[in-house]
Protein backbone atom coordinates (compact mmCIF):
# COMPACT_ATOMS: atom_id res chain seq x y z
CA UNK A 1 0.00 0.00 0.00
CA UNK A 2 1.30 3.43 -0.84
CA UNK A 3 2.20 5.71 1.99
CA UNK A 4 -0.06 8.57 2.94
CA UNK A 5 1.80 11.63 1.71
CA UNK A 6 -0.34 14.53 2.92
CA UNK A 7 2.01 16.28 5.34
CA UNK A 8 5.41 17.01 3.77
CA UNK A 9 8.11 18.53 5.98
CA UNK A 10 11.84 19.13 5.82
CA UNK A 11 14.18 16.56 7.32
CA UNK A 12 15.96 17.40 10.61
CA UNK A 13 19.58 18.47 10.36
CA UNK A 14 20.54 18.48 14.06
CA UNK A 15 21.58 15.15 15.57
CA UNK A 16 18.81 15.27 18.19
CA UNK A 17 16.17 15.63 15.53
CA UNK A 18 17.74 12.85 13.48
CA UNK A 19 17.81 10.48 16.48
CA UNK A 20 14.13 11.16 17.06
CA UNK A 21 13.34 9.89 13.56
CA UNK A 22 15.43 6.69 13.76
CA UNK A 23 13.52 3.49 14.33
CA UNK A 24 13.01 1.23 11.29
CA UNK A 25 16.58 -0.05 11.59
CA UNK A 26 16.08 -0.90 15.27
CA UNK A 27 13.03 -2.99 14.41
CA UNK A 28 15.09 -4.81 11.80
CA UNK A 29 17.90 -5.25 14.36
CA UNK A 30 15.46 -6.87 16.78
CA UNK A 31 14.53 -9.27 13.98
CA UNK A 32 18.14 -9.96 13.06
CA UNK A 33 19.55 -10.79 16.49
CA UNK A 34 17.52 -13.97 16.96
CA UNK A 35 17.75 -16.92 14.60
CA UNK A 36 20.80 -15.72 12.69
CA UNK A 37 22.87 -14.52 15.62
CA UNK A 38 21.90 -16.86 18.48
CA UNK A 39 21.55 -20.07 16.44
CA UNK A 40 23.18 -19.95 12.99
CA UNK A 41 26.20 -17.76 13.75
CA UNK A 42 27.42 -19.74 16.80
CA UNK A 43 26.99 -22.91 14.74
CA UNK A 44 29.25 -21.50 12.03
CA UNK A 45 31.78 -20.66 14.75
CA UNK A 46 31.48 -24.18 16.19
CA UNK A 47 31.95 -25.75 12.74
CA UNK A 48 34.75 -23.54 11.41
CA UNK A 49 36.41 -21.99 14.45
CA UNK A 50 37.67 -18.43 14.08
CA UNK A 51 38.59 -18.78 10.40
CA UNK A 52 35.37 -17.24 9.02
CA UNK A 53 35.28 -14.10 11.17
CA UNK A 54 36.04 -12.02 8.06
CA UNK A 55 33.16 -13.67 6.21
CA UNK A 56 30.72 -12.86 9.03
CA UNK A 57 31.79 -9.20 9.17
CA UNK A 58 31.60 -8.71 5.41
CA UNK A 59 28.24 -10.52 5.35
CA UNK A 60 26.83 -7.95 7.76
CA UNK A 61 28.26 -4.85 6.13
CA UNK A 62 27.99 -5.56 2.45
CA UNK A 63 24.21 -5.90 2.25
CA UNK A 64 23.54 -2.41 3.65
CA UNK A 65 24.06 -0.87 0.20
CA UNK A 66 21.26 -2.97 -1.27
CA UNK A 67 19.13 -2.25 1.81
CA UNK A 68 19.46 1.51 1.36
CA UNK A 69 18.82 1.29 -2.39
CA UNK A 70 15.57 -0.59 -1.81
CA UNK A 71 14.62 2.01 0.80
CA UNK A 72 15.49 4.84 -1.60
CA UNK A 73 13.15 3.49 -4.28
CA UNK A 74 10.33 2.93 -1.78
CA UNK A 75 10.67 6.45 -0.38
CA UNK A 76 10.78 8.13 -3.78
CA UNK A 77 7.90 6.11 -5.23
CA UNK A 78 5.87 5.92 -2.02
CA UNK A 79 5.37 2.17 -2.52
CA UNK A 80 6.29 -0.93 -0.55
CA UNK A 81 9.11 -3.19 -1.75
CA UNK A 82 6.76 -5.90 -2.98
CA UNK A 83 4.78 -3.34 -4.99
CA UNK A 84 8.05 -2.19 -6.57
CA UNK A 85 9.17 -5.80 -7.19
CA UNK A 86 5.89 -6.45 -8.98
CA UNK A 87 6.88 -3.79 -11.54
CA UNK A 88 10.17 -5.49 -12.49
CA UNK A 89 10.00 -6.56 -16.16
CA UNK A 90 9.79 -10.22 -17.09
CA UNK A 91 7.26 -13.06 -17.18
CA UNK A 92 3.98 -12.49 -15.32
CA UNK A 93 1.23 -14.78 -14.10
CA UNK A 94 -1.08 -12.78 -11.85
CA UNK A 95 2.08 -11.13 -10.46
CA UNK A 96 5.69 -10.66 -11.53
CA UNK A 97 8.08 -13.62 -11.62
CA UNK A 98 10.00 -11.89 -8.83
CA UNK A 99 6.97 -12.06 -6.52
CA UNK A 100 6.72 -15.80 -7.20
CA UNK A 101 10.38 -16.14 -6.15
CA UNK A 102 9.55 -14.21 -2.99
CA UNK A 103 6.60 -16.50 -2.18
CA UNK A 104 8.82 -19.59 -2.43
CA UNK A 105 11.29 -17.95 -0.04
CA UNK A 106 8.46 -16.84 2.25
CA UNK A 107 7.47 -20.47 2.82
CA UNK A 108 10.98 -21.12 4.15
CA UNK A 109 10.69 -18.09 6.42
CA UNK A 110 7.66 -19.66 8.09
CA UNK A 111 9.85 -22.65 8.99
CA UNK A 112 12.52 -20.27 10.30
CA UNK A 113 10.03 -18.50 12.57
CA UNK A 114 8.68 -21.91 13.57
CA UNK A 115 12.16 -22.85 14.76
CA UNK A 116 12.29 -19.65 16.81
CA UNK A 117 8.86 -20.39 18.34
CA UNK A 118 10.21 -23.80 19.35
CA UNK A 119 13.39 -22.23 20.69
CA UNK A 120 11.42 -19.96 23.01
CA UNK A 121 9.38 -22.98 24.07
CA UNK A 122 12.57 -24.87 24.89
CA UNK A 123 13.78 -21.92 26.97
CA UNK A 124 10.65 -22.12 29.11
CA UNK A 125 10.95 -25.92 29.36
CA UNK A 126 14.55 -25.66 30.52
CA UNK A 127 13.51 -22.96 32.98
CA UNK A 128 11.47 -25.50 34.91
CA UNK A 129 7.96 -25.26 33.43
CA UNK A 130 6.66 -28.82 33.43
CA UNK A 131 5.20 -28.86 29.91
CA UNK A 132 6.52 -30.14 26.61
CA UNK A 133 8.31 -27.67 24.40
CA UNK A 134 5.61 -28.15 21.78
CA UNK A 135 2.86 -27.13 24.18
CA UNK A 136 4.94 -24.17 25.30
CA UNK A 137 5.55 -23.21 21.67
CA UNK A 138 1.80 -22.91 21.16
CA UNK A 139 1.55 -20.70 24.26
CA UNK A 140 4.43 -18.52 23.00
CA UNK A 141 2.73 -18.11 19.60
CA UNK A 142 -0.54 -17.04 21.22
CA UNK A 143 1.32 -14.54 23.42
CA UNK A 144 3.07 -13.12 20.36
CA UNK A 145 -0.23 -12.76 18.51
CA UNK A 146 -1.73 -10.96 21.52
CA UNK A 147 1.18 -8.49 21.67
CA UNK A 148 0.86 -7.68 17.97
CA UNK A 149 -2.94 -7.54 17.86
CA UNK A 150 -2.96 -3.75 17.51
CA UNK A 151 -0.97 -3.87 14.26
CA UNK A 152 0.54 -0.43 14.98
CA UNK A 153 4.09 0.68 14.21
CA UNK A 154 4.76 2.46 17.51
CA UNK A 155 4.17 -0.63 19.65
CA UNK A 156 6.61 -2.72 17.60
CA UNK A 157 9.25 0.03 17.64
CA UNK A 158 9.13 0.48 21.44
CA UNK A 159 9.24 -3.25 22.08
CA UNK A 160 12.19 -3.62 19.68
CA UNK A 161 14.21 -0.83 21.30
CA UNK A 162 13.84 -2.34 24.78
CA UNK A 163 14.77 -5.82 23.56
CA UNK A 164 17.81 -4.59 21.59
CA UNK A 165 19.18 -2.74 24.63
CA UNK A 166 18.77 -5.80 26.88
CA UNK A 167 20.28 -8.03 24.23
CA UNK A 168 23.39 -5.89 23.74
CA UNK A 169 24.00 -5.74 27.51
CA UNK A 170 23.72 -9.51 28.02
CA UNK A 171 25.92 -10.56 25.08
CA UNK A 172 28.55 -7.90 25.75
CA UNK A 173 28.84 -9.03 29.35
CA UNK A 174 29.23 -12.68 28.29
CA UNK A 175 32.20 -11.78 26.06
CA UNK A 176 33.74 -9.64 28.81
CA UNK A 177 33.41 -12.51 31.30
CA UNK A 178 35.06 -14.93 28.87
CA UNK A 179 38.11 -12.69 28.65
CA UNK A 180 38.23 -11.64 32.30
CA UNK A 181 37.47 -14.75 34.38
CA UNK A 182 40.56 -16.81 35.33
CA UNK A 183 38.56 -20.05 35.17
CA UNK A 184 37.97 -19.48 31.43
CA UNK A 185 41.62 -19.00 30.51
CA UNK A 186 41.62 -22.12 28.33
CA UNK A 187 38.82 -20.66 26.20
CA UNK A 188 40.09 -17.08 26.09
CA UNK A 189 40.15 -15.41 22.69
CA UNK A 190 43.67 -14.39 21.72
CA UNK A 191 45.20 -12.08 19.18
CA UNK A 192 46.21 -15.13 17.13
CA UNK A 193 42.55 -16.18 16.98
CA UNK A 194 41.54 -12.77 15.64
CA UNK A 195 44.37 -12.78 13.09
CA UNK A 196 43.27 -16.23 11.94
CA UNK A 197 39.72 -14.95 11.59
CA UNK A 198 40.83 -12.02 9.43
CA UNK A 199 43.11 -14.07 7.15
CA UNK A 200 40.41 -14.54 4.46
CA UNK A 201 40.69 -18.32 4.64
CA UNK A 202 38.01 -20.20 2.67
CA UNK A 203 36.27 -23.25 4.20
CA UNK A 204 36.07 -26.65 2.50
CA UNK A 205 32.27 -26.71 2.85
CA UNK A 206 30.35 -23.47 2.33
CA UNK A 207 26.92 -24.96 3.08
CA UNK A 208 26.38 -23.83 6.67
CA UNK A 209 28.41 -20.65 6.18
CA UNK A 210 26.34 -19.53 3.18
CA UNK A 211 23.10 -20.47 4.95
CA UNK A 212 24.23 -18.19 7.77
CA UNK A 213 25.06 -15.49 5.20
CA UNK A 214 21.40 -15.57 4.23
CA UNK A 215 20.42 -14.60 7.81
CA UNK A 216 23.27 -12.61 9.35
CA UNK A 217 23.02 -8.89 8.97
CA UNK A 218 20.05 -8.00 6.84
CA UNK A 219 18.74 -11.18 5.25
CA UNK A 220 16.46 -11.27 2.24
CA UNK A 221 13.30 -10.74 4.28
CA UNK A 222 14.84 -7.84 6.23
CA UNK A 223 15.92 -6.26 2.94
CA UNK A 224 12.35 -6.48 1.69
CA UNK A 225 10.48 -5.26 4.76
CA UNK A 226 12.93 -2.55 5.87
CA UNK A 227 11.41 -0.07 3.34
CA UNK A 228 7.93 -0.95 4.67
CA UNK A 229 8.96 0.21 8.15
CA UNK A 230 10.46 3.37 6.61
CA UNK A 231 7.08 4.11 5.02
CA UNK A 232 5.25 3.48 8.29
CA UNK A 233 7.71 5.72 10.13
CA UNK A 234 6.66 8.48 7.76
CA UNK A 235 9.79 9.10 5.68
CA UNK A 236 7.93 9.08 2.36
CA UNK A 237 4.97 11.02 3.77
CA UNK A 238 7.37 13.71 4.97
CA UNK A 239 8.90 13.99 1.50
CA UNK A 240 5.43 14.61 0.05
CA UNK A 241 3.82 13.76 -3.30
CA UNK A 242 6.27 13.50 -6.18
CA UNK A 243 6.86 16.68 -8.12
CA UNK A 244 9.59 17.98 -10.40
CA UNK A 245 10.81 20.82 -8.19
CA UNK A 246 14.00 21.62 -6.34
CA UNK A 247 12.06 21.92 -3.07
CA UNK A 248 10.79 18.34 -3.41
CA UNK A 249 14.23 17.01 -4.30
CA UNK A 250 15.73 18.86 -1.33
CA UNK A 251 13.21 17.28 1.05
CA UNK A 252 13.82 13.88 -0.50
CA UNK A 253 17.60 14.19 -0.13
CA UNK A 254 17.18 15.22 3.51
CA UNK A 255 15.00 12.21 4.40
CA UNK A 256 17.22 9.86 2.41
CA UNK A 257 20.10 11.01 4.62
CA UNK A 258 18.03 10.21 7.73
CA UNK A 259 17.29 6.76 6.31
CA UNK A 260 20.96 6.09 5.58
CA UNK A 261 21.90 7.05 9.14
CA UNK A 262 19.15 4.76 10.43
CA UNK A 263 20.49 1.87 8.32
CA UNK A 264 24.13 2.39 9.32
CA UNK A 265 23.38 2.78 13.05
CA UNK A 266 21.46 -0.48 13.04
CA UNK A 267 24.29 -2.12 11.06
CA UNK A 268 26.83 -1.19 13.74
CA UNK A 269 24.59 -2.71 16.43
CA UNK A 270 23.80 -6.00 14.71
CA UNK A 271 27.32 -6.44 13.31
CA UNK A 272 28.77 -6.04 16.81
CA UNK A 273 26.26 -8.54 18.17
CA UNK A 274 26.94 -11.00 15.34
CA UNK A 275 30.70 -10.84 15.89
CA UNK A 276 30.25 -11.42 19.63
CA UNK A 277 28.09 -14.51 19.05
CA UNK A 278 30.49 -15.83 16.43
CA UNK A 279 33.49 -15.42 18.73
CA UNK A 280 31.64 -17.07 21.61
CA UNK A 281 30.62 -19.96 19.35
CA UNK A 282 34.16 -20.43 18.03
CA UNK A 283 35.64 -20.31 21.54
CA UNK A 284 33.10 -22.36 23.49
CA UNK A 285 31.17 -24.65 21.11
CA UNK A 286 33.92 -26.40 19.15
CA UNK A 287 33.58 -29.54 21.28
CA UNK A 288 29.79 -29.65 21.69
CA UNK A 289 28.39 -28.16 18.50
CA UNK A 290 24.71 -27.18 18.18
CA UNK A 291 22.14 -29.94 17.69
CA UNK A 292 18.39 -29.99 17.07
CA UNK A 293 17.30 -31.93 20.13
CA UNK A 294 19.62 -30.20 22.57
CA UNK A 295 19.76 -26.73 21.03
CA UNK A 296 19.18 -24.73 24.22
CA UNK A 297 21.51 -26.87 26.32
CA UNK A 298 24.21 -26.67 23.64
CA UNK A 299 23.88 -22.92 23.24
CA UNK A 300 24.02 -22.43 27.01
CA UNK A 301 27.76 -23.09 26.73
CA UNK A 302 28.00 -19.59 25.25
CA UNK A 303 27.42 -18.27 28.78
CA UNK A 304 29.80 -20.69 30.45
CA UNK A 305 32.07 -17.74 31.35
CA UNK A 306 29.44 -16.52 33.80
CA UNK A 307 29.96 -19.49 36.09
CA UNK A 308 27.16 -21.11 38.09
CA UNK A 309 24.83 -18.20 37.35
CA UNK A 310 25.44 -18.56 33.61
CA UNK A 311 22.53 -20.97 33.15
CA UNK A 312 19.99 -18.53 34.53
CA UNK A 313 21.51 -15.58 32.70
CA UNK A 314 21.60 -17.58 29.48
CA UNK A 315 17.92 -18.51 29.74
CA UNK A 316 17.00 -14.88 30.28
CA UNK A 317 19.26 -13.75 27.44
CA UNK A 318 18.01 -16.49 25.08
CA UNK A 319 14.43 -15.53 25.83
CA UNK A 320 15.17 -11.85 25.10
CA UNK A 321 16.94 -12.66 21.82
CA UNK A 322 14.52 -15.25 20.48
CA UNK A 323 11.31 -13.59 21.65
CA UNK A 324 12.35 -10.19 20.30
CA UNK A 325 13.00 -11.81 16.91
CA UNK A 326 9.71 -13.68 17.05
CA UNK A 327 7.66 -10.58 17.85
CA UNK A 328 9.48 -8.20 15.50
CA UNK A 329 9.80 -10.83 12.78
CA UNK A 330 6.11 -11.73 12.96
CA UNK A 331 5.15 -8.05 12.78
CA UNK A 332 7.49 -7.44 9.85
CA UNK A 333 6.46 -10.52 7.88
CA UNK A 334 2.82 -9.68 8.56
CA UNK A 335 3.34 -6.55 6.44
CA UNK A 336 4.76 -8.69 3.64
CA UNK A 337 1.92 -11.18 3.90
CA UNK A 338 -0.61 -8.35 3.72
CA UNK A 339 1.06 -6.95 0.58
CA UNK A 340 1.19 -10.44 -0.95
CA UNK A 341 -2.52 -11.06 -0.39
CA UNK A 342 -3.31 -7.73 -2.07
CA UNK A 343 -1.00 -8.33 -5.04
CA UNK A 344 -2.54 -11.77 -5.65
CA UNK A 345 -6.00 -10.13 -5.35
CA UNK A 346 -6.90 -12.41 -2.47
CA UNK A 347 -7.70 -9.30 -0.44
CA UNK A 348 -8.93 -5.90 -1.66
CA UNK A 349 -6.42 -3.07 -1.59
CA UNK A 350 -6.89 -1.06 1.63
CA UNK A 351 -8.06 2.47 0.91
CA UNK A 352 -7.50 3.92 4.39
CA UNK A 353 -4.99 3.51 7.21
CA UNK A 354 -7.69 1.83 9.33
CA UNK A 355 -8.29 -0.80 6.65
CA UNK A 356 -4.55 -1.38 6.34
CA UNK A 357 -4.21 -1.85 10.11
CA UNK A 358 -7.06 -4.38 10.16
CA UNK A 359 -5.42 -6.41 7.41
CA UNK A 360 -2.02 -6.31 9.10
CA UNK A 361 -3.58 -7.23 12.46
CA UNK A 362 -5.06 -10.39 10.98
CA UNK A 363 -1.68 -11.33 9.47
CA UNK A 364 0.04 -10.67 12.83
CA UNK A 365 -2.23 -13.28 14.41
CA UNK A 366 -1.96 -15.77 11.54
CA UNK A 367 1.84 -15.90 11.27
CA UNK A 368 2.91 -16.93 14.82
CA UNK A 369 0.05 -19.43 15.07
CA UNK A 370 1.00 -21.05 11.76
CA UNK A 371 4.65 -21.19 12.78
CA UNK A 372 3.70 -22.92 16.03
CA UNK A 373 1.83 -25.58 14.04
CA UNK A 374 4.94 -26.13 11.88
CA UNK A 375 7.09 -26.57 14.98
CA UNK A 376 4.63 -29.06 16.48
CA UNK A 377 4.82 -31.08 13.24
CA UNK A 378 8.59 -30.86 12.64
CA UNK A 379 10.11 -30.21 16.08
CA UNK A 380 13.68 -29.54 14.86
CA UNK A 381 14.48 -25.87 15.61
CA UNK A 382 18.04 -25.68 14.28
CA UNK A 383 17.15 -27.37 10.99
CA UNK A 384 14.01 -25.25 10.64
CA UNK A 385 16.03 -22.06 11.13
CA UNK A 386 18.60 -23.15 8.55
CA UNK A 387 15.83 -23.98 6.06
CA UNK A 388 14.80 -20.33 6.28
CA UNK A 389 18.42 -19.28 5.95
CA UNK A 390 18.89 -21.31 2.78
CA UNK A 391 15.66 -19.92 1.30
CA UNK A 392 16.76 -16.36 2.06
CA UNK A 393 20.23 -16.97 0.66
CA UNK A 394 18.78 -18.20 -2.64
CA UNK A 395 16.51 -15.12 -2.82
CA UNK A 396 19.50 -12.78 -2.53
CA UNK A 397 20.40 -13.08 -6.23
CA UNK A 398 17.07 -11.87 -7.72
CA UNK A 399 16.75 -9.28 -4.95
CA UNK A 400 20.18 -7.87 -5.77
CA UNK A 401 19.14 -7.60 -9.41
CA UNK A 402 15.97 -5.76 -8.39
CA UNK A 403 18.00 -3.25 -6.37
CA UNK A 404 20.11 -2.45 -9.43
CA UNK A 405 16.96 -2.06 -11.53
CA UNK A 406 15.53 0.37 -8.99
CA UNK A 407 18.81 2.31 -8.97
CA UNK A 408 18.79 2.92 -12.72
CA UNK A 409 15.10 2.84 -13.68
CA UNK A 410 12.98 3.90 -10.71
CA UNK A 411 15.00 6.63 -9.00
CA UNK A 412 14.92 10.22 -10.27
CA UNK A 413 18.30 11.29 -11.60
CA UNK A 414 18.77 14.09 -9.00
CA UNK A 415 18.34 11.46 -6.24
CA UNK A 416 20.56 8.75 -7.70
CA UNK A 417 23.71 7.95 -5.70
CA UNK A 418 27.19 8.98 -6.75
CA UNK A 419 29.94 6.90 -8.33
CA UNK A 420 31.45 5.53 -5.10
CA UNK A 421 28.10 4.40 -3.72
CA UNK A 422 27.14 2.87 -7.08
CA UNK A 423 30.37 0.86 -7.24
CA UNK A 424 29.80 -0.45 -3.70
CA UNK A 425 26.19 -1.23 -4.61
CA UNK A 426 27.40 -3.35 -7.52
CA UNK A 427 29.93 -5.13 -5.28
CA UNK A 428 27.18 -5.80 -2.74
CA UNK A 429 24.75 -7.03 -5.41
CA UNK A 430 27.33 -9.31 -7.06
CA UNK A 431 28.35 -10.82 -3.72
CA UNK A 432 24.72 -11.47 -2.80
CA UNK A 433 24.08 -12.99 -6.22
CA UNK A 434 27.11 -15.26 -5.90
CA UNK A 435 25.90 -16.59 -2.55
CA UNK A 436 22.37 -17.08 -3.86
CA UNK A 437 23.49 -18.93 -6.98
CA UNK A 438 25.87 -21.12 -4.98
CA UNK A 439 23.11 -22.13 -2.58
CA UNK A 440 20.70 -22.82 -5.45
CA UNK A 441 23.10 -25.11 -7.32
CA UNK A 442 24.18 -26.79 -4.09
CA UNK A 443 20.60 -27.72 -3.20
CA UNK A 444 19.86 -28.88 -6.76
CA UNK A 445 23.01 -31.01 -6.77
CA UNK A 446 22.12 -32.62 -3.46
CA UNK A 447 18.54 -33.22 -4.60
CA UNK A 448 19.70 -35.33 -7.56
CA UNK A 449 22.66 -36.96 -5.80
CA UNK A 450 22.11 -40.73 -5.36
CA UNK A 451 21.07 -41.51 -1.82
CA UNK A 452 22.99 -44.16 0.15
CA UNK A 453 21.20 -47.40 0.90
CA UNK A 454 21.83 -47.09 4.63
CA UNK A 455 19.58 -44.58 6.35
CA UNK A 456 21.63 -41.87 7.98
CA UNK A 457 20.84 -39.47 10.77
CA UNK A 458 19.50 -36.15 9.52
CA UNK A 459 22.12 -33.41 9.44
CA UNK A 460 22.00 -29.70 8.95
CA UNK A 461 23.36 -30.02 5.43
CA UNK A 462 21.16 -32.98 4.54
CA UNK A 463 17.47 -33.64 4.95
CA UNK A 464 16.20 -31.09 7.45
CA UNK A 465 12.84 -32.82 7.54
CA UNK A 466 13.93 -36.34 8.43
CA UNK A 467 11.96 -37.77 11.31
CA UNK A 468 13.11 -36.14 14.50
CA UNK A 469 12.95 -37.58 18.02
CA UNK A 470 10.18 -36.44 20.33
CA UNK A 471 10.31 -33.18 22.16
CA UNK A 472 13.44 -32.66 24.15
CA UNK A 473 13.62 -32.34 27.91
CA UNK A 474 17.25 -31.66 28.75
CA UNK A 475 18.64 -32.70 32.13
CA UNK A 476 19.29 -29.97 34.66
CA UNK A 477 22.79 -28.56 34.18
CA UNK A 478 25.42 -28.94 36.79
CA UNK A 479 26.54 -25.93 38.78
CA UNK A 480 29.92 -25.93 37.06
CA UNK A 481 28.40 -24.87 33.72
Amino acid sequence: MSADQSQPQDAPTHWRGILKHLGPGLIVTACIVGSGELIATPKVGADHGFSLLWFIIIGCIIKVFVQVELGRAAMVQGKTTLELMDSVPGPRFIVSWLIWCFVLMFIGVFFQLGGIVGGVGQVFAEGGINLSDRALAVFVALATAAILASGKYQHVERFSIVMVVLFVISTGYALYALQAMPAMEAYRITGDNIREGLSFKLPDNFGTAFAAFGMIGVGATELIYYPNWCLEKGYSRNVGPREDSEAWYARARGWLKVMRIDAWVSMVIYTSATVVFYLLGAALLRDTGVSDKGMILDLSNLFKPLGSSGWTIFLVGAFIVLFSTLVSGSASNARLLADTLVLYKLKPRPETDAERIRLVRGCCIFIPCTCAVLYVLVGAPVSMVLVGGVAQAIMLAPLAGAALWFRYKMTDRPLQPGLTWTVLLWVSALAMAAVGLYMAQDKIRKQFKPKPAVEKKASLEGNCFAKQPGFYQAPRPKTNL
Side-chain angles (χ1 to χ4, degrees):
M1 176 181 171
S2 300
D4 177 14
Q5 299 180 315
S6 58
Q7 300 175 356
Q9 57 180 296
D10 293 334
T13 56
H14 192 271
W15 66 269
R16 290 182 179 176
I18 293 175
L19 287 178
K20 182 180 177 181
H21 287 87
L22 302 185
L26 294 177
I27 295 177
V28 170
T29 299
C31 298
I32 289 171
V33 297
S35 58
E37 274 57 22
L38 182 61
I39 299 175
T41 303
K43 175 170 175 51
V44 176
D47 291 346
H48 298 283
F50 295 94
S51 62
L52 288 183
L53 176 61
W54 66 273
F55 184 82
I56 296 296
I57 295 174
I58 291 177
C60 288
I61 297 174
I62 201 168
K63 289 181 279 189
V64 176
F65 298 98
V66 169
Q67 174 188 352
V68 170
E69 208 57 41
L70 294 175
R72 186 197 310 272
M75 186 184 303
V76 171
Q77 299 291 334
K79 296 180 179 180
T80 66
T81 309
L82 291 183
E83 289 177 321
L84 293 172
M85 289 167 59
D86 193 40
S87 67
V88 171
R92 290 185 67 87
F93 176 69
I94 304 175
V95 294
S96 166
W97 64 273
L98 192 54
I99 300 297
W100 284 104
C101 292
F102 162 77
V103 169
L104 293 176
M105 179 210 70
F106 206 38
I107 295 171
V109 171
F110 273 75
F111 282 93
Q112 181 179 341
L113 287 174
I116 297 173
V117 170
V120 179
Q122 284 193 10
V123 168
F124 281 120
E126 297 299 334
I129 298 179
N130 192 24
L131 291 172
S132 72
D133 59 341
R134 282 175 166 82
L136 290 168
V138 173
F139 170 78
V140 168
L142 293 175
T144 302
I147 291 173
L148 296 176
S150 71
K152 293 183 178 179
Y153 170 88
Q154 292 84 354
H155 296 167
V156 180
E157 182 184 65
R158 291 166 188 162
F159 176 88
S160 301
I161 291 173
V162 172
M163 287 298 190
V164 167
V165 170
L166 293 175
F167 162 78
V168 170
I169 292 173
S170 62
T171 54
Y173 184 69
L175 182 62
Y176 165 77
L178 171 64
Q179 297 299 99
M181 286 187 172
M184 300 306 299
E185 184 175 359
Y187 299 95
R188 195 164 294 162
I189 300 169
T190 66
D192 289 338
N193 296 142
I194 301 300
R195 281 189 288 273
E196 176 191 356
L198 300 178
S199 62
F200 297 94
K201 179 181 178 182
L202 298 175
D204 296 328
N205 185 348
F206 266 106
T208 303
F210 274 12
F213 186 93
M215 290 181 288
I216 59 174
V218 279
T221 50
E222 287 88 16
L223 288 169
I224 295 171
Y225 58 61
Y226 174 74
N228 289 48
W229 289 120
C230 290
L231 294 181
E232 290 200 36
K233 183 68 173 178
Y235 292 170
S236 184
R237 179 179 63 248
N238 293 335
V239 173
R242 294 186 67 197
E243 57 184 57
D244 188 14
S245 68
E246 183 54 38
W248 186 84
Y249 288 126
R251 282 198 307 272
R253 282 190 288 266
W255 286 106
L256 286 171
K257 179 180 178 181
V258 173
M259 184 192 68
R260 287 195 298 271
I261 293 174
D262 178 79
W264 284 109
V265 168
S266 63
M267 185 277 295
V268 171
I269 296 173
Y270 63 67
T271 300
S272 301
T274 303
V275 169
V276 168
F277 270 124
Y278 180 82
L279 293 175
L280 290 173
L284 299 170
L285 300 182
R286 291 303 301 274
D287 297 330
T288 61
V290 183
S291 64
D292 272 318
K293 73 174 187 177
M295 181 186 75
I296 293 299
L297 191 61
D298 292 338
L299 289 172
S300 68
N301 287 308
L302 293 173
F303 282 63
K304 186 187 297 184
L306 304 184
S308 59
S309 62
W311 175 250
T312 300
I313 296 176
F314 168 75
L315 289 179
V316 174
F319 170 78
I320 291 171
V321 171
L322 292 175
F323 194 60
S324 67
T325 295
L326 179 60
V327 173
S328 303
S330 296
S332 299
N333 286 291
R335 271 76 181 165
L336 301 186
L337 179 58
D339 286 343
T340 302
L341 294 174
V342 171
L343 289 173
Y344 278 91
K345 298 179 172 55
L346 298 174
K347 289 287 185 180
R349 182 177 297 275
E351 299 295 336
T352 65
D353 288 343
E355 292 179 359
R356 171 74 174 180
I357 289 175
R358 279 196 297 272
L359 178 58
V360 169
R361 181 187 298 124
C363 295
C364 284
I365 296 172
F366 173 80
I367 286 180
C369 294
T370 302
C371 293
V373 171
L374 287 175
Y375 180 73
V376 169
L377 294 175
V378 180
V382 178
S383 294
M384 293 176 73
V385 165
L386 289 184
V387 165
V390 170
Q392 291 198 58
I394 293 174
M395 184 65 192
L396 289 176
L399 196 57
L404 292 173
W405 171 263
F406 298 158
R407 154 67 177 83
Y408 290 101
K409 299 297 182 179
M410 301 196 71
T411 303
D412 296 37
R413 185 172 294 277
L415 301 178
Q416 290 180 353
L419 177 61
T420 301
W421 184 276
T422 300
V423 170
L424 292 173
L425 173 64
W426 272 95
V427 171
S428 175
L430 291 174
M432 288 169 53
V435 170
L437 293 174
Y438 174 89
M439 293 303 298
Q441 68 81 27
D442 184 62
K443 290 304 166 185
I444 293 172
R445 177 178 56 82
K446 288 181 178 179
Q447 182 67 29
F448 291 98
K449 184 179 180 180
K451 295 180 174 58
V454 180
E455 184 178 355
K456 293 187 177 182
K457 182 179 178 182
S459 67
L460 293 177
E461 264 95 23
N463 180 10
C464 295
F465 300 101
K467 185 176 181 180
Q468 301 290 334
F471 63 80
Y472 178 69
Q473 293 287 349
R476 280 289 164 269
K478 298 180 181 180
T479 57
N480 61 346
L481 177 69

